[in-house]
Amino acid sequence: MTTLKITKKHHKHFNNPFPSTPASLPLIQGNLLFNSQTVPSHQQFSIGKDFQLSWSSNNGGSLSIYHQSQPKRAIWSTIPGQAFVSAALAETEVEESRGSFVVKDRKLHLVCHHQTIQDIRVIDQFDHSLEAQDQDSPSGFLDVDQKTDSKGTQFPMVLVTGWVFNMRRKKKHSQKSGTLENAQFEGKGPSTCARYWVLFEQKNSNQIGFQVKLGQPNFEFRTKASPAASGRYKGFRRRLGQFQKRRLRWFRSSGRPRGFVFVSSSEEELEELKAEEVKEFNRVCLTYSSEENERFYGFGEQFSHMDFKGKRVPILVQEQGIGRGDQPITFAANLISYRAGGNWSTTYAPSPFYMTSKMRSLYLEGYDYSIFDLTKQDRVQIQILGNSVEGRILHGTSPCELIECFTETIGRPPKLPDWIISGAVVGMQGGTDSVRHIWNELKTYNAPISAFWLQDWVGQRETFVGSQLWWNWEVDSTRYMGWQQLNKDLSAQHIKVMTYCNPCLAPCHEKPNRRRNLFEEAKKLDILVKDKLGEPYMVPNTAFDVGMLDLTHPDTASWFKQILQEMVDDGVRGWMADFGEGLPVDATLYSGEDPISAHNKYPELWAQINREFVEEWKANRVGKEEEDPEEALVFFMRAGFRDSPKWGMLFWKETKCDIGGYCAVNLPFINYRRSEELLLRWMELNAFTTVFRTHEGNKPSCNSQFYSNDRTLSHFARFAKIYKAWKFYRVQLVQVAAQKGLSVCRHLFLQYPDDEHVHSLSYHQFLVGTEILVVPVLDKGKNNVKAYFPTGESCTWQHIWTGKQFRKQGVEATVEAHNWLSCCIC
């Protein structure tokens, strides 16, 4: 059975500007049953030394997990009487267009939405008979010897086992327009079942690990089974029969909740599935409780919402989109390139992690595509593309504690080099003469400069899109004549040079002054991602196609590090490691792994190569005469996933952004250009972020630039000086980020979680550390802003520019921002 379809939309030139919402797997609900002979009415089970799992048979049965330090506060609970594990077999279509991806669930063949609990078992360190007791368990899942040897495993563990099953359908359903939203089914007798295993184990003093694994679907357990399993299935059938007749020993919750989907397969479909020898489910769902007023934060780099309660949050690395629903820019982007406008959920760097206003937190391990369904007020359902899932449940009493707990495992960024946070990073293009000209102008304004970021160091070419870079990562000696001397001259004034690269290579046979053809080199070395025919996968990118490095190939990292070494040998000390979000989901990789999972992993591998080079370069300089802390390397990323903080050093959007923004649209009927006012206000904003960096944008000639006139140059210099003035505090915050994982710029929720009004704030104001409250001017022509002063620690906020003090807590106040943004210190 073909359950995955890939559709390419790269070359569609005119598209539906209002694309429909993709069909998706509905929220699945079923009943929970348990065997009273093997599962007690109430019991506490220890998980490691710091956690407890509580089972209660009340209201149909439920599980809860507690930390020993707070035995009355559950950090994770199932819904009484309702299934917490379910399984499905569905057809999926992935539409792909230039880094944008849409996952659509099509025909739903099978759903096992009801669940039984057969046993809740404690596993201690010496329970070596466990595999023999549960011969159907997945290979390695219950390998106690392996877990005993693994670092950090703490006994006892708790294993929950049972079955998921469905009921035969009375009548067929209809799917209109490919949606599954309103499908409802009624059952008559069991038809399909599968074993499941849920394992809980303590990972550290504040983390519980969980694993959910599904067995193979069985379509014949009602009538016959293999001799080895006949006793087991006979008992299961007998108990199901007793349940259907409402006899003793099986319990279920009463009533049928409204508004949820009950799905099962017709007898004809089951026969087809058996004939095609379906071996496994391709969806596993984990469902658990949530409070109605519980707010959900996190999910990686997000732009449109702060609280995700009521939404379905997909976790898939991709282009963030141009407009993301704002009109008419999204209309224009979608019209020209399929779904290029994106929507509220599209992001370069998602993460399957959240924390809530109730101080609950969970994240998934692995890289499978997943959706967090938060559309119902009383529950969370995580739907995973696969037949197993692993993750961790976190304990903490504050948002900062939860972040520290999370980053302790997934990794934290290193302490940044001092130079990158000491002055402005000037992003510009044009070649050697242009750089020297702007440098001289900035000298007259005494602007503190840390670096020049020159993304066009590789040269440019004209395409139907406009001027675009040559994706061949070596200096263009014509555009940047005297490249090494330019690096030396800037370095003599303590100014670094930063460049640009990405994991894609463009054929450059037509480039007149190239020394190397990196695409051809990579092709010869066989380190490019391949298509189904074994040829280099040529990925469309605007006006040209590119090959992508296969980062799973053992030779790729060393080859690309040699390219970085040549760049650094010329004097470069930083670069943007761009892209990473566009691995095709039908690619063939050296590792042989599933490209859909590898798609989310790819940006982490890309960051890892860059970070390894930085650390290797640093190690090679230790003890040498030329060793200088000011010469440390740094790079920043665009795409990422859960573990990216471990490998990345900076991120394009999370800790800083392009002053003035990036995307301009210059069409006959739609114009989005960077005005001078927008540029100046953006300078004010960025002066209170981790890195103060400019960008000319995708259409420099349409945009106001920092070098456009005296006013823009003066404003730029002034706020570069303001940025430099609070370096002493920024150094402390960068150190905290490396030690605890807390970002420099923070939502007020992190510091004031008990202030109810704080939860309604989004991008209107933010904290720098704990001491600076920034309220940017976001509306054209405004000379004041409304600032909210939170309830919490006793603190008087003082307006930096006027000295006015604000002593009242929990109130909004209008604050002057006539010349500069509003900024207060505590």
Side-chain angles (χ1 to χ4, degrees):
M1 172 186 293
T2 302
T3 57
L4 179 64
K5 177 184 178 182
I6 311 295
T7 304
K8 303 292 185 179
K9 302 285 189 176
H10 301 299
H11 300 294
K12 291 189 67 177
H13 296 299
F14 292 99
N15 304 276
N16 181 0
F18 301 106
S20 60
T21 301
S24 58
L25 193 69
L27 189 142
I28 297 171
Q29 181 190 353
N31 295 319
L32 179 67
L33 303 85
F34 63 92
N35 187 337
S36 65
Q37 291 184 328
T38 58
V39 180
S41 296
H42 302 278
Q43 191 165 345
Q44 303 283 334
F45 303 87
S46 292
I47 305 175
K49 65 178 182 179
D50 295 304
F51 294 89
Q52 280 194 337
L53 183 142
S54 174
W55 160 257
S56 172
S57 62
N58 290 342
N59 300 315
S62 62
L63 298 172
S64 298
I65 294 176
Y66 301 85
H67 193 271
Q68 298 280 24
S69 65
Q70 293 182 305
K72 294 184 179 181
R73 185 178 79 91
I75 60 174
W76 183 87
S77 301
T78 65
I79 303 170
Q82 298 193 24
F84 54 91
V85 175
S86 51
L89 179 66
E91 293 182 13
T92 302
E93 179 182 5
V94 181
E95 295 180 346
E96 178 182 349
S97 176
R98 306 179 191 277
S100 297
F101 298 83
V102 177
V103 180
K104 298 181 176 181
D105 288 313
R106 294 300 190 184
K107 186 174 182 181
L108 194 57
H109 291 282
L110 177 66
V111 172
C112 288
H113 53 297
H114 299 306
Q115 177 188 0
T116 74
I117 295 180
Q118 290 288 105
D119 193 16
I120 303 176
R121 188 181 314 173
V122 175
I123 304 171
D124 62 36
Q125 189 171 352
F126 307 102
D127 198 350
H128 296 284
S129 62
L130 187 61
E131 291 280 9
Q133 296 175 22
D134 202 340
Q135 297 178 355
D136 284 348
S137 65
S139 176
F141 187 74
L142 302 178
D143 191 340
V144 178
D145 287 327
Q146 180 181 354
K147 291 186 178 296
T148 302
D149 295 336
S150 64
K151 183 179 179 181
T153 297
Q154 300 183 34
F155 290 91
M157 301 182 287
V158 174
L159 178 67
V160 182
T161 59
W163 300 84
V164 292
F165 66 98
N166 67 9
M167 309 294 283
R168 181 167 296 168
R169 183 190 309 156
K170 283 183 177 179
K171 55 185 179 181
K172 290 188 177 182
H173 69 286
S174 62
Q175 289 182 220
K176 296 181 179 180
S177 303
T179 64
L180 305 166
E181 300 292 338
N182 300 314
Q184 286 202 351
F185 306 87
E186 295 182 355
K188 184 181 181 181
S191 57
T192 307
C193 72
R195 289 291 305 275
Y196 77 84
W197 299 261
V198 180
L199 183 69
F200 296 101
E201 58 179 317
Q202 178 171 341
K203 294 295 187 178
N204 59 41
S205 61
N206 290 300
Q207 293 189 10
I208 283 282
F210 65 87
Q211 301 178 54
V212 181
K213 178 67 179 178
L214 297 173
Q216 293 184 356
N218 187 289
F219 305 103
E220 301 181 357
F221 79 102
R222 277 175 49 82
T223 55
K224 62 181 180 178
S226 63
S230 60
R232 210 165 42 246
Y233 285 127
K234 184 182 296 183
F236 185 58
R237 293 197 304 271
R238 183 179 64 252
R239 284 187 291 274
L240 282 175
Q242 291 171 343
F243 157 65
Q244 291 169 338
K245 296 176 183 179
R246 297 175 179 249
R247 294 178 181 174
L248 298 176
R249 295 196 183 101
W250 284 96
F251 301 85
R252 57 168 289 180
S253 61
S254 61
R256 175 172 171 163
R258 298 179 180 178
F260 295 96
V261 178
F262 288 76
V263 187
S264 62
S265 298
S266 66
E267 191 166 346
E268 293 81 1
E269 282 183 295
L270 291 179
E271 292 299 327
E272 292 176 8
L273 295 174
K274 286 190 292 183
E276 296 186 31
E277 298 184 344
V278 173
K279 299 297 184 183
E280 62 183 23
F281 293 96
N282 62 7
R283 296 289 193 285
V284 58
C285 300
L286 182 64
T287 307
Y288 49 95
S289 68
S290 170
E291 296 181 40
E292 183 175 353
N293 62 344
E294 190 170 17
R295 297 177 172 92
F296 284 73
Y297 308 122
F299 300 111
E301 181 184 74
Q302 297 289 340
F303 306 103
S304 297
H305 298 284
M306 178 66 184
D307 177 14
F308 291 89
K309 185 79 168 193
K311 302 186 180 302
R312 287 173 55 89
V313 186
I315 307 298
L316 184 68
V317 175
Q318 61 175 307
E319 286 276 355
Q320 70 172 18
I322 303 172
R324 303 168 50 79
D326 287 346
Q327 300 297 354
I329 189 171
T330 305
F331 171 95
N334 284 337
L335 183 65
I336 294 171
S337 183
Y338 186 75
R339 289 187 183 267
N343 58 44
W344 65 265
S345 69
T346 50
T347 172
Y348 293 117
S351 178
F353 160 81
Y354 69 77
M355 59 181 172
T356 80
S357 57
K358 302 297 182 180
M359 300 307 123
R360 299 186 181 102
S361 184
L362 177 148
Y363 73 90
L364 301 184
E365 299 176 294
Y367 298 91
D368 290 334
Y369 172 70
S370 60
I371 290 180
F372 287 73
D373 192 327
L374 310 174
T375 56
K376 301 299 179 183
Q377 294 298 308
D378 66 340
R379 70 195 63 205
V380 176
Q381 184 168 99
I382 309 175
Q383 302 174 347
I384 298 96
L385 185 64
N387 68 350
S388 65
V389 61
E390 296 186 34
R392 299 197 183 190
I393 301 164
L394 311 183
H395 168 259
T397 59
S398 71
C400 291
E401 276 189 22
L402 289 172
I403 290 176
E404 189 171 354
C405 177
F406 174 53
T407 58
E408 179 184 5
T409 304
I410 61 109
R412 295 164 180 155
K415 183 179 179 181
L416 293 172
D418 188 73
W419 65 262
I420 190 69
I421 57 173
S422 296
V425 176
V426 179
M428 61 168 295
Q429 303 177 88
T432 302
D433 291 342
S434 295
V435 173
R436 291 189 180 276
H437 172 70
I438 295 298
W439 183 20
N440 286 331
E441 281 206 84
L442 290 172
K443 288 178 184 178
T444 65
Y445 290 86
N446 295 317
I449 304 300
S450 286
F452 278 87
W453 177 45
L454 311 172
Q455 67 173 20
D456 67 334
W457 73 295
V458 292
Q460 290 185 328
R461 56 173 160 171
E462 293 300 319
T463 70
F464 69 85
V465 174
S467 295
Q468 295 187 276
L469 302 181
W470 280 106
W471 288 12
N472 190 59
W473 314 121
E474 63 175 12
V475 65
D476 186 299
S477 57
T478 300
R479 191 173 187 83
Y480 282 94
M481 294 180 62
W483 174 248
Q484 292 182 348
Q485 189 61 48
L486 176 64
N487 276 266
K488 290 178 181 179
D489 292 345
L490 289 168
S491 180
Q493 299 300 315
H494 306 289
I495 299 174
K496 313 303 179 188
V497 171
M498 301 180 70
T499 57
Y500 171 97
C501 63
N502 67 55
C504 302
L505 300 168
C508 58
H509 305 86
E510 300 175 357
K511 191 174 189 297
N513 59 341
R514 60 177 172 81
R515 290 186 301 109
R516 301 170 62 181
N517 187 329
L518 298 181
F519 173 84
E520 290 298 329
E521 289 183 28
K523 182 179 179 181
K524 186 175 181 179
L525 291 170
D526 203 31
I527 58 173
L528 293 175
V529 170
K530 292 183 173 60
D531 60 21
K532 297 301 182 183
L533 300 177
E535 296 297 322
Y537 200 128
M538 299 308 294
V539 181
N541 178 75
T542 61
F544 53 90
D545 295 349
V546 297
M548 290 188 70
L549 291 173
D550 186 343
L551 303 184
T552 71
H553 195 290
D555 297 334
T556 302
S558 58
W559 181 79
F560 197 82
K561 289 175 186 177
Q562 177 262 330
I563 294 172
L564 295 175
Q565 184 66 56
E566 289 187 9
M567 183 176 72
V568 170
D569 286 344
D570 284 341
V572 172
R573 292 296 177 263
W575 60 95
M576 181 181 187
D578 201 5
F579 283 80
E581 68 275 2
L583 179 69
V585 294
D586 59 344
T588 301
L589 300 171
Y590 176 88
S591 63
E593 60 193 280
D594 177 10
I596 294 184
S597 295
H599 174 88
N600 280 338
K601 188 178 181 180
Y602 192 91
E604 290 185 5
L605 296 176
W606 172 227
Q608 182 178 351
I609 289 175
N610 286 269
R611 178 66 181 280
E612 285 177 351
F613 173 77
V614 168
E615 298 303 323
E616 291 163 6
W617 185 86
K618 180 181 178 180
N620 290 335
R621 292 174 60 85
V622 173
K624 294 183 179 180
E625 290 183 5
E626 64 270 22
E627 182 183 354
D628 180 358
E630 282 297 299
E631 290 297 299
L633 305 180
V634 69
F635 66 92
F636 63 97
M637 307 289 300
R638 176 166 85 172
F641 200 66
R642 179 195 57 247
D643 294 354
S644 288
K646 176 181 180 180
W647 302 111
M649 299 183 74
L650 279 167
F651 283 87
W652 183 34
K653 291 293 182 67
E654 288 183 306
T655 57
K656 58 188 182 56
C657 57
D658 302 325
I659 292 177
Y662 176 74
C663 283
V665 177
N666 190 27
L667 297 174
F669 54 95
I670 297 178
N671 287 291
Y672 281 84
R673 301 175 183 178
R674 181 196 300 168
S675 67
E676 184 174 293
E677 181 188 4
L678 176 63
L679 176 64
L680 299 183
R681 289 301 193 185
W682 215 311
M683 289 177 186
E684 298 166 7
L685 167 64
N686 262 41
F688 293 93
T689 60
T690 310
V691 176
F692 186 70
R693 178 182 57 79
T694 69
H695 198 305
E696 292 182 323
N698 64 327
K699 297 183 181 296
S701 62
C702 296
N703 294 326
S704 179
Q705 305 291 352
F706 76 90
Y707 50 75
S708 292
N709 53 53
D710 176 71
R711 186 184 180 195
T712 56
L713 280 164
S714 297
H715 207 72
F716 173 77
R718 178 180 295 134
F719 277 89
K721 293 171 185 175
I722 290 171
Y723 170 79
K724 184 178 181 179
W726 64 278
K727 177 187 171 182
F728 70 95
Y729 187 42
R730 189 162 53 251
V731 168
Q732 298 174 37
L733 296 176
V734 167
Q735 184 68 37
V736 169
Q739 293 175 345
K740 297 186 176 183
L742 296 174
S743 61
V744 173
C745 300
R746 307 171 188 175
H747 191 277
L748 274 68
F749 165 69
L750 296 185
Q751 304 300 145
Y752 302 94
D754 297 328
D755 186 328
E756 188 64 25
H757 185 76
V758 158
H759 296 275
S760 65
L761 301 175
S762 55
Y763 50 80
H764 300 93
Q765 61 185 72
F766 62 90
L767 290 169
V768 176
T770 60
E771 306 301 315
I772 303 176
L773 177 65
V774 181
V775 188
V777 178
L778 302 175
D779 297 314
K780 182 179 179 180
K782 293 290 185 179
N783 291 320
N784 54 60
V785 293
K786 284 187 176 181
Y788 177 74
F789 297 100
T791 300
E793 301 174 4
S794 178
C795 175
T796 297
W797 294 92
Q798 181 173 325
H799 192 224
I800 288 179
W801 317 125
T802 66
K804 182 178 179 180
Q805 294 186 342
F806 299 86
R807 292 185 173 85
K808 290 185 177 180
Q809 296 186 358
V811 298
E812 275 190 342
T814 299
V815 182
E816 181 185 344
H818 181 71
N819 294 316
W820 303 335
L821 86 171
S822 178
C823 189
C824 299
I825 57 174
C826 184

